[in-house]
């Protein structure tokens, strides 16, 4: 079984791509849901990259559930989308880590227009996302083995994802 992680900042198209992959019959899972992620209390003075989603509270992967998903025996390729501060614990289990990126202005426009999530609608959230693009995206670029700019037709991105070796 091949495992592919789609990661990147809010507004890069992770959820859109995972939904489209699922609609085409691929095994596609969005980790940004209650089944695979949870709110945890964090120390806001931590030296970890990025900032928690809320003061002293962050949205992280449920490690036991992500591990169970990654441990399933299946012939199909698993596409998992998400970005969480604890995802580094799982990177070695993926065959490919794909960083999805887009120009900052495109991300801001997508956040304004998005209807599938309220996150990114208020100025503090947009400011946080812009900060994460500066601070966290370069770190993701270091662990990714492929980067795809999603400011192209979705068909182009899907073709690149489904043709990974």
């Amino acid at each position: 079984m091949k495992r592919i992680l789609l990661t990147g900042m809010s507004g890069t198209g992770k959820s859109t791509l995972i939904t489209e992959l699922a609609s085409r019959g691929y095994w596609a899972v969005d980790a940004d849901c209650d089944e695979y992620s949870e709110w945890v209390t964090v120390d806001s003075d931590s030296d970890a990259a990025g900032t928690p989603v809320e003061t002293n509270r962050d949205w992280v992967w449920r490690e036991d559930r992500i591990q169970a998903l990654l441990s399933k025996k299946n012939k199909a390729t698993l596409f998992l989308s998400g970005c969480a501060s604890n995802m580094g614990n799982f990177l070695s289990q993926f065959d490919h880590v794909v960083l999805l990126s887009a120009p900052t202005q495109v991300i801001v426009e997508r956040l304004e227009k998005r209807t599938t999530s309220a996150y990114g609608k208020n100025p503090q959230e947009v400011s946080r996302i812009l900060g994460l693009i500066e601070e966290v995206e370069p770190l993701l670029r270091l662990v990714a083995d492929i980067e795809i700019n999603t400011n192209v037709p979705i068909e182009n991105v899907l073709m690149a994802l489904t043709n990974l070796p």
Side-chain angles (χ1 to χ4, degrees):
M1 169 177 113
K2 189 170 12 171
R3 295 169 192 87
I4 299 172
L5 173 63
L6 308 179
T7 193
M9 301 297 97
S10 295
T12 57
K14 296 182 303 292
S15 296
T16 298
L17 286 165
I18 217 71
T19 299
E20 188 61 33
L21 286 162
S23 76
R24 294 172 183 226
Y26 289 94
W27 185 20
V29 177
D30 188 346
D32 192 17
C33 66
D34 291 336
E35 182 177 358
Y36 293 106
S37 294
E38 65 185 338
W39 288 104
V40 296
T41 302
V42 296
D43 178 4
S44 62
D45 295 330
S46 169
D47 289 335
T51 58
V53 176
E54 299 176 0
T55 304
N56 296 325
R57 226 167 69 117
D58 206 3
W59 183 243
V60 300
W61 285 358
R62 293 176 183 261
E63 295 194 8
D64 58 334
R65 294 181 184 183
I66 295 291
Q67 187 58 61
L69 178 65
L70 293 173
S71 297
K72 286 185 179 178
K73 302 293 181 209
N74 194 320
K75 291 182 181 179
T77 296
L78 168 64
F79 291 92
L80 178 67
S81 70
C83 189
S85 59
N86 62 338
M87 75 180 195
N89 298 337
F90 302 96
L91 293 178
S92 66
Q93 296 180 61
F94 289 97
D95 297 288
H96 295 288
V97 175
V98 179
L99 173 60
L100 302 175
S101 62
T104 303
Q105 187 55 38
V106 170
I107 289 174
V108 171
E109 289 170 11
R110 287 177 180 172
L111 293 170
E112 289 172 358
K113 295 176 184 174
R114 104 185 327 177
T115 59
T116 56
S117 171
Y119 185 72
K121 296 291 184 188
N122 74 51
Q124 293 84 7
E125 292 167 344
V126 173
S127 177
R128 177 180 181 267
I129 293 165
L130 295 176
L132 292 173
I133 290 170
E134 293 295 318
E135 184 179 353
V136 175
E137 189 175 77
L139 300 175
L140 294 176
R141 197 165 276 118
L142 292 174
V143 299
D145 50 340
I146 223 168
E147 181 173 356
I148 299 175
N149 184 321
T150 60
N151 191 28
V152 296
I154 193 168
E155 291 299 324
N156 296 19
V157 179
L158 290 166
M159 185 166 300
L161 291 174
T162 57
N163 288 314
L164 289 172

PDB file of all heavy atoms in Angstrom, residues 72-100:
ATOM      1  N   LYS A  72      -3.382   0.155   8.447  1.00  0.00           N
ATOM      2  CA  LYS A  72      -4.324  -0.705   7.730  1.00  0.00           C
ATOM      3  C   LYS A  72      -3.646  -1.349   6.536  1.00  0.00           C
ATOM      4  O   LYS A  72      -2.868  -0.724   5.827  1.00  0.00           O
ATOM      5  CB  LYS A  72      -5.541   0.098   7.263  1.00  0.00           C
ATOM      6  CG  LYS A  72      -6.476   0.457   8.377  1.00  0.00           C
ATOM      7  CD  LYS A  72      -7.718   1.144   7.853  1.00  0.00           C
ATOM      8  CE  LYS A  72      -8.638   1.456   9.028  1.00  0.00           C
ATOM      9  NZ  LYS A  72      -9.830   2.167   8.600  1.00  0.00           N
ATOM     10  N   LYS A  73      -3.976  -2.600   6.335  1.00  0.00           N
ATOM     11  CA  LYS A  73      -3.471  -3.338   5.175  1.00  0.00           C
ATOM     12  C   LYS A  73      -4.494  -3.162   4.057  1.00  0.00           C
ATOM     13  O   LYS A  73      -5.645  -3.531   4.194  1.00  0.00           O
ATOM     14  CB  LYS A  73      -3.296  -4.822   5.499  1.00  0.00           C
ATOM     15  CG  LYS A  73      -2.358  -5.085   6.662  1.00  0.00           C
ATOM     16  CD  LYS A  73      -0.932  -4.710   6.320  1.00  0.00           C
ATOM     17  CE  LYS A  73      -0.021  -5.017   7.480  1.00  0.00           C
ATOM     18  NZ  LYS A  73       1.107  -4.167   7.551  1.00  0.00           N
ATOM     19  N   ASN A  74      -4.060  -2.566   2.978  1.00  0.00           N
ATOM     20  CA  ASN A  74      -4.957  -2.273   1.873  1.00  0.00           C
ATOM     21  C   ASN A  74      -4.109  -2.163   0.617  1.00  0.00           C
ATOM     22  O   ASN A  74      -2.987  -1.681   0.665  1.00  0.00           O
ATOM     23  CB  ASN A  74      -5.696  -0.954   2.156  1.00  0.00           C
ATOM     24  CG  ASN A  74      -6.876  -0.725   1.272  1.00  0.00           C
ATOM     25  OD1 ASN A  74      -6.844  -1.001   0.083  1.00  0.00           O
ATOM     26  ND2 ASN A  74      -7.941  -0.203   1.846  1.00  0.00           N
ATOM     27  N   LYS A  75      -4.648  -2.600  -0.499  1.00  0.00           N
ATOM     28  CA  LYS A  75      -3.914  -2.506  -1.760  1.00  0.00           C
ATOM     29  C   LYS A  75      -4.011  -1.110  -2.366  1.00  0.00           C
ATOM     30  O   LYS A  75      -3.201  -0.735  -3.198  1.00  0.00           O
ATOM     31  CB  LYS A  75      -4.425  -3.542  -2.748  1.00  0.00           C
ATOM     32  CG  LYS A  75      -4.079  -4.951  -2.345  1.00  0.00           C
ATOM     33  CD  LYS A  75      -4.542  -5.949  -3.367  1.00  0.00           C
ATOM     34  CE  LYS A  75      -4.201  -7.351  -2.894  1.00  0.00           C
ATOM     35  NZ  LYS A  75      -4.651  -8.367  -3.826  1.00  0.00           N
ATOM     36  N   ALA A  76      -5.008  -0.356  -1.943  1.00  0.00           N
ATOM     37  CA  ALA A  76      -5.228   0.977  -2.508  1.00  0.00           C
ATOM     38  C   ALA A  76      -4.217   1.976  -1.941  1.00  0.00           C
ATOM     39  O   ALA A  76      -3.718   1.818  -0.825  1.00  0.00           O
ATOM     40  CB  ALA A  76      -6.643   1.455  -2.201  1.00  0.00           C
ATOM     41  N   THR A  77      -3.963   3.005  -2.705  1.00  0.00           N
ATOM     42  CA  THR A  77      -3.143   4.121  -2.234  1.00  0.00           C
ATOM     43  C   THR A  77      -3.973   4.960  -1.275  1.00  0.00           C
ATOM     44  O   THR A  77      -5.127   5.276  -1.561  1.00  0.00           O
ATOM     45  CB  THR A  77      -2.684   4.987  -3.418  1.00  0.00           C
ATOM     46  OG1 THR A  77      -1.844   4.201  -4.261  1.00  0.00           O
ATOM     47  CG2 THR A  77      -1.930   6.226  -2.952  1.00  0.00           C
ATOM     48  N   LEU A  78      -3.401   5.323  -0.144  1.00  0.00           N
ATOM     49  CA  LEU A  78      -4.051   6.205   0.816  1.00  0.00           C
ATOM     50  C   LEU A  78      -3.552   7.624   0.591  1.00  0.00           C
ATOM     51  O   LEU A  78      -2.340   7.871   0.621  1.00  0.00           O
ATOM     52  CB  LEU A  78      -3.734   5.788   2.254  1.00  0.00           C
ATOM     53  CG  LEU A  78      -4.120   6.790   3.350  1.00  0.00           C
ATOM     54  CD1 LEU A  78      -5.637   6.991   3.413  1.00  0.00           C
ATOM     55  CD2 LEU A  78      -3.573   6.353   4.704  1.00  0.00           C
ATOM     56  N   PHE A  79      -4.475   8.544   0.347  1.00  0.00           N
ATOM     57  CA  PHE A  79      -4.182   9.968   0.323  1.00  0.00           C
ATOM     58  C   PHE A  79      -4.707  10.535   1.634  1.00  0.00           C
ATOM     59  O   PHE A  79      -5.903  10.455   1.916  1.00  0.00           O
ATOM     60  CB  PHE A  79      -4.884  10.662  -0.850  1.00  0.00           C
ATOM     61  CG  PHE A  79      -4.335  10.297  -2.201  1.00  0.00           C
ATOM     62  CD1 PHE A  79      -4.889   9.252  -2.923  1.00  0.00           C
ATOM     63  CD2 PHE A  79      -3.269  11.000  -2.745  1.00  0.00           C
ATOM     64  CE1 PHE A  79      -4.392   8.918  -4.177  1.00  0.00           C
ATOM     65  CE2 PHE A  79      -2.762  10.669  -3.998  1.00  0.00           C
ATOM     66  CZ  PHE A  79      -3.330   9.622  -4.716  1.00  0.00           C
ATOM     67  N   LEU A  80      -3.830  11.097   2.455  1.00  0.00           N
ATOM     68  CA  LEU A  80      -4.216  11.709   3.724  1.00  0.00           C
ATOM     69  C   LEU A  80      -3.861  13.179   3.666  1.00  0.00           C
ATOM     70  O   LEU A  80      -2.726  13.533   3.325  1.00  0.00           O
ATOM     71  CB  LEU A  80      -3.475  11.039   4.888  1.00  0.00           C
ATOM     72  CG  LEU A  80      -3.743  11.610   6.281  1.00  0.00           C
ATOM     73  CD1 LEU A  80      -5.188  11.339   6.711  1.00  0.00           C
ATOM     74  CD2 LEU A  80      -2.777  11.029   7.293  1.00  0.00           C
ATOM     75  N   SER A  81      -4.826  14.037   3.966  1.00  0.00           N
ATOM     76  CA  SER A  81      -4.534  15.472   3.951  1.00  0.00           C
ATOM     77  C   SER A  81      -4.568  16.023   5.366  1.00  0.00           C
ATOM     78  O   SER A  81      -5.379  15.601   6.191  1.00  0.00           O
ATOM     79  CB  SER A  81      -5.538  16.230   3.070  1.00  0.00           C
ATOM     80  OG  SER A  81      -6.813  16.244   3.670  1.00  0.00           O
ATOM     81  N   GLY A  82      -3.680  16.965   5.619  1.00  0.00           N
ATOM     82  CA  GLY A  82      -3.667  17.615   6.916  1.00  0.00           C
ATOM     83  C   GLY A  82      -2.344  18.300   7.192  1.00  0.00           C
ATOM     84  O   GLY A  82      -1.343  18.074   6.502  1.00  0.00           O
ATOM     85  N   CYS A  83      -2.380  19.116   8.213  1.00  0.00           N
ATOM     86  CA  CYS A  83      -1.186  19.804   8.676  1.00  0.00           C
ATOM     87  C   CYS A  83      -1.379  20.061  10.162  1.00  0.00           C
ATOM     88  O   CYS A  83      -2.297  20.789  10.546  1.00  0.00           O
ATOM     89  CB  CYS A  83      -0.985  21.111   7.911  1.00  0.00           C
ATOM     90  SG  CYS A  83       0.608  21.889   8.246  1.00  0.00           S
ATOM     91  N   ALA A  84      -0.566  19.424  10.978  1.00  0.00           N
ATOM     92  CA  ALA A  84      -0.693  19.568  12.427  1.00  0.00           C
ATOM     93  C   ALA A  84       0.700  19.558  13.041  1.00  0.00           C
ATOM     94  O   ALA A  84       1.645  19.009  12.466  1.00  0.00           O
ATOM     95  CB  ALA A  84      -1.533  18.424  12.991  1.00  0.00           C
ATOM     96  N   SER A  85       0.806  20.149  14.203  1.00  0.00           N
ATOM     97  CA  SER A  85       2.114  20.267  14.841  1.00  0.00           C
ATOM     98  C   SER A  85       2.728  18.914  15.196  1.00  0.00           C
ATOM     99  O   SER A  85       3.947  18.805  15.311  1.00  0.00           O
ATOM    100  CB  SER A  85       2.012  21.145  16.091  1.00  0.00           C
ATOM    101  OG  SER A  85       1.076  20.593  17.005  1.00  0.00           O
ATOM    102  N   ASN A  86       1.908  17.874  15.329  1.00  0.00           N
ATOM    103  CA  ASN A  86       2.446  16.552  15.681  1.00  0.00           C
ATOM    104  C   ASN A  86       2.550  15.602  14.491  1.00  0.00           C
ATOM    105  O   ASN A  86       2.835  14.426  14.665  1.00  0.00           O
ATOM    106  CB  ASN A  86       1.617  15.918  16.797  1.00  0.00           C
ATOM    107  CG  ASN A  86       0.173  15.676  16.419  1.00  0.00           C
ATOM    108  OD1 ASN A  86      -0.372  16.297  15.510  1.00  0.00           O
ATOM    109  ND2 ASN A  86      -0.480  14.781  17.139  1.00  0.00           N
ATOM    110  N   MET A  87       2.360  16.082  13.284  1.00  0.00           N
ATOM    111  CA  MET A  87       2.403  15.183  12.130  1.00  0.00           C
ATOM    112  C   MET A  87       3.813  14.662  11.854  1.00  0.00           C
ATOM    113  O   MET A  87       3.981  13.631  11.209  1.00  0.00           O
ATOM    114  CB  MET A  87       1.806  15.836  10.892  1.00  0.00           C
ATOM    115  CG  MET A  87       2.653  16.873  10.239  1.00  0.00           C
ATOM    116  SD  MET A  87       1.794  17.527   8.793  1.00  0.00           S
ATOM    117  CE  MET A  87       3.172  18.334   8.011  1.00  0.00           C
ATOM    118  N   GLY A  88       4.814  15.337  12.369  1.00  0.00           N
ATOM    119  CA  GLY A  88       6.182  14.867  12.194  1.00  0.00           C
ATOM    120  C   GLY A  88       6.404  13.470  12.746  1.00  0.00           C
ATOM    121  O   GLY A  88       7.288  12.743  12.279  1.00  0.00           O
ATOM    122  N   ASN A  89       5.600  13.072  13.711  1.00  0.00           N
ATOM    123  CA  ASN A  89       5.711  11.739  14.290  1.00  0.00           C
ATOM    124  C   ASN A  89       5.386  10.644  13.278  1.00  0.00           C
ATOM    125  O   ASN A  89       5.681   9.470  13.526  1.00  0.00           O
ATOM    126  CB  ASN A  89       4.769  11.597  15.488  1.00  0.00           C
ATOM    127  CG  ASN A  89       5.120  12.557  16.600  1.00  0.00           C
ATOM    128  OD1 ASN A  89       6.248  13.027  16.708  1.00  0.00           O
ATOM    129  ND2 ASN A  89       4.144  12.884  17.423  1.00  0.00           N
ATOM    130  N   PHE A  90       4.782  11.000  12.144  1.00  0.00           N
ATOM    131  CA  PHE A  90       4.319  10.014  11.175  1.00  0.00           C
ATOM    132  C   PHE A  90       4.994  10.115   9.810  1.00  0.00           C
ATOM    133  O   PHE A  90       4.756   9.279   8.945  1.00  0.00           O
ATOM    134  CB  PHE A  90       2.803  10.158  10.981  1.00  0.00           C
ATOM    135  CG  PHE A  90       2.044   9.990  12.258  1.00  0.00           C
ATOM    136  CD1 PHE A  90       1.663  11.098  13.003  1.00  0.00           C
ATOM    137  CD2 PHE A  90       1.739   8.731  12.738  1.00  0.00           C
ATOM    138  CE1 PHE A  90       0.989  10.952  14.197  1.00  0.00           C
ATOM    139  CE2 PHE A  90       1.061   8.568  13.942  1.00  0.00           C
ATOM    140  CZ  PHE A  90       0.681   9.684  14.672  1.00  0.00           C
ATOM    141  N   LEU A  91       5.812  11.130   9.602  1.00  0.00           N
ATOM    142  CA  LEU A  91       6.355  11.380   8.270  1.00  0.00           C
ATOM    143  C   LEU A  91       7.081  10.175   7.677  1.00  0.00           C
ATOM    144  O   LEU A  91       6.981   9.923   6.474  1.00  0.00           O
ATOM    145  CB  LEU A  91       7.273  12.606   8.284  1.00  0.00           C
ATOM    146  CG  LEU A  91       6.586  13.942   8.558  1.00  0.00           C
ATOM    147  CD1 LEU A  91       7.615  15.068   8.584  1.00  0.00           C
ATOM    148  CD2 LEU A  91       5.487  14.224   7.554  1.00  0.00           C
ATOM    149  N   SER A  92       7.781   9.419   8.493  1.00  0.00           N
ATOM    150  CA  SER A  92       8.546   8.275   7.983  1.00  0.00           C
ATOM    151  C   SER A  92       7.647   7.162   7.454  1.00  0.00           C
ATOM    152  O   SER A  92       8.118   6.282   6.731  1.00  0.00           O
ATOM    153  CB  SER A  92       9.467   7.722   9.075  1.00  0.00           C
ATOM    154  OG  SER A  92       8.690   7.177  10.132  1.00  0.00           O
ATOM    155  N   GLN A  93       6.368   7.212   7.765  1.00  0.00           N
ATOM    156  CA  GLN A  93       5.450   6.167   7.313  1.00  0.00           C
ATOM    157  C   GLN A  93       4.819   6.475   5.952  1.00  0.00           C
ATOM    158  O   GLN A  93       4.081   5.649   5.417  1.00  0.00           O
ATOM    159  CB  GLN A  93       4.352   5.949   8.358  1.00  0.00           C
ATOM    160  CG  GLN A  93       4.909   5.436   9.674  1.00  0.00           C
ATOM    161  CD  GLN A  93       3.826   5.222  10.688  1.00  0.00           C
ATOM    162  OE1 GLN A  93       2.930   4.420  10.477  1.00  0.00           O
ATOM    163  NE2 GLN A  93       3.906   5.940  11.796  1.00  0.00           N
ATOM    164  N   PHE A  94       5.117   7.641   5.407  1.00  0.00           N
ATOM    165  CA  PHE A  94       4.561   8.020   4.112  1.00  0.00           C
ATOM    166  C   PHE A  94       5.567   7.741   3.002  1.00  0.00           C
ATOM    167  O   PHE A  94       6.764   7.955   3.170  1.00  0.00           O
ATOM    168  CB  PHE A  94       4.178   9.508   4.104  1.00  0.00           C
ATOM    169  CG  PHE A  94       2.974   9.805   4.946  1.00  0.00           C
ATOM    170  CD1 PHE A  94       3.110  10.272   6.240  1.00  0.00           C
ATOM    171  CD2 PHE A  94       1.694   9.610   4.445  1.00  0.00           C
ATOM    172  CE1 PHE A  94       2.003  10.532   7.022  1.00  0.00           C
ATOM    173  CE2 PHE A  94       0.582   9.872   5.218  1.00  0.00           C
ATOM    174  CZ  PHE A  94       0.730  10.335   6.504  1.00  0.00           C
ATOM    175  N   ASP A  95       5.036   7.283   1.874  1.00  0.00           N
ATOM    176  CA  ASP A  95       5.875   7.077   0.696  1.00  0.00           C
ATOM    177  C   ASP A  95       6.202   8.410   0.038  1.00  0.00           C
ATOM    178  O   ASP A  95       7.264   8.571  -0.551  1.00  0.00           O
ATOM    179  CB  ASP A  95       5.160   6.160  -0.303  1.00  0.00           C
ATOM    180  CG  ASP A  95       4.930   4.788   0.288  1.00  0.00           C
ATOM    181  OD1 ASP A  95       5.912   4.047   0.429  1.00  0.00           O
ATOM    182  OD2 ASP A  95       3.772   4.466   0.635  1.00  0.00           O
ATOM    183  N   HIS A  96       5.256   9.333   0.122  1.00  0.00           N
ATOM    184  CA  HIS A  96       5.457  10.680  -0.418  1.00  0.00           C
ATOM    185  C   HIS A  96       4.837  11.698   0.535  1.00  0.00           C
ATOM    186  O   HIS A  96       3.733  11.496   1.032  1.00  0.00           O
ATOM    187  CB  HIS A  96       4.794  10.853  -1.792  1.00  0.00           C
ATOM    188  CG  HIS A  96       5.387  10.002  -2.850  1.00  0.00           C
ATOM    189  ND1 HIS A  96       6.630  10.252  -3.392  1.00  0.00           N
ATOM    190  CD2 HIS A  96       4.912   8.901  -3.473  1.00  0.00           C
ATOM    191  CE1 HIS A  96       6.888   9.333  -4.301  1.00  0.00           C
ATOM    192  NE2 HIS A  96       5.869   8.499  -4.369  1.00  0.00           N
ATOM    193  N   VAL A  97       5.560  12.781   0.752  1.00  0.00           N
ATOM    194  CA  VAL A  97       5.015  13.944   1.455  1.00  0.00           C
ATOM    195  C   VAL A  97       4.939  15.047   0.404  1.00  0.00           C
ATOM    196  O   VAL A  97       5.958  15.461  -0.158  1.00  0.00           O
ATOM    197  CB  VAL A  97       5.909  14.377   2.637  1.00  0.00           C
ATOM    198  CG1 VAL A  97       5.375  15.657   3.276  1.00  0.00           C
ATOM    199  CG2 VAL A  97       6.015  13.244   3.668  1.00  0.00           C
ATOM    200  N   VAL A  98       3.704  15.477   0.135  1.00  0.00           N
ATOM    201  CA  VAL A  98       3.457  16.471  -0.907  1.00  0.00           C
ATOM    202  C   VAL A  98       3.075  17.787  -0.246  1.00  0.00           C
ATOM    203  O   VAL A  98       2.069  17.861   0.467  1.00  0.00           O
ATOM    204  CB  VAL A  98       2.331  16.017  -1.860  1.00  0.00           C
ATOM    205  CG1 VAL A  98       2.072  17.073  -2.921  1.00  0.00           C
ATOM    206  CG2 VAL A  98       2.664  14.673  -2.492  1.00  0.00           C
ATOM    207  N   LEU A  99       3.885  18.801  -0.476  1.00  0.00           N
ATOM    208  CA  LEU A  99       3.564  20.148   0.011  1.00  0.00           C
ATOM    209  C   LEU A  99       2.725  20.844  -1.049  1.00  0.00           C
ATOM    210  O   LEU A  99       3.158  21.002  -2.192  1.00  0.00           O
ATOM    211  CB  LEU A  99       4.835  20.950   0.276  1.00  0.00           C
ATOM    212  CG  LEU A  99       4.626  22.428   0.624  1.00  0.00           C
ATOM    213  CD1 LEU A  99       3.783  22.585   1.887  1.00  0.00           C
ATOM    214  CD2 LEU A  99       5.970  23.136   0.762  1.00  0.00           C
ATOM    215  N   LEU A 100       1.520  21.234  -0.675  1.00  0.00           N
ATOM    216  CA  LEU A 100       0.670  22.040  -1.542  1.00  0.00           C
ATOM    217  C   LEU A 100       0.913  23.494  -1.187  1.00  0.00           C
ATOM    218  O   LEU A 100       0.911  23.867  -0.011  1.00  0.00           O
ATOM    219  CB  LEU A 100      -0.796  21.666  -1.339  1.00  0.00           C
ATOM    220  CG  LEU A 100      -1.151  20.201  -1.580  1.00  0.00           C
ATOM    221  CD1 LEU A 100      -2.609  19.939  -1.224  1.00  0.00           C
ATOM    222  CD2 LEU A 100      -0.859  19.792  -3.011  1.00  0.00           C
TER     223      LEU A 100
END
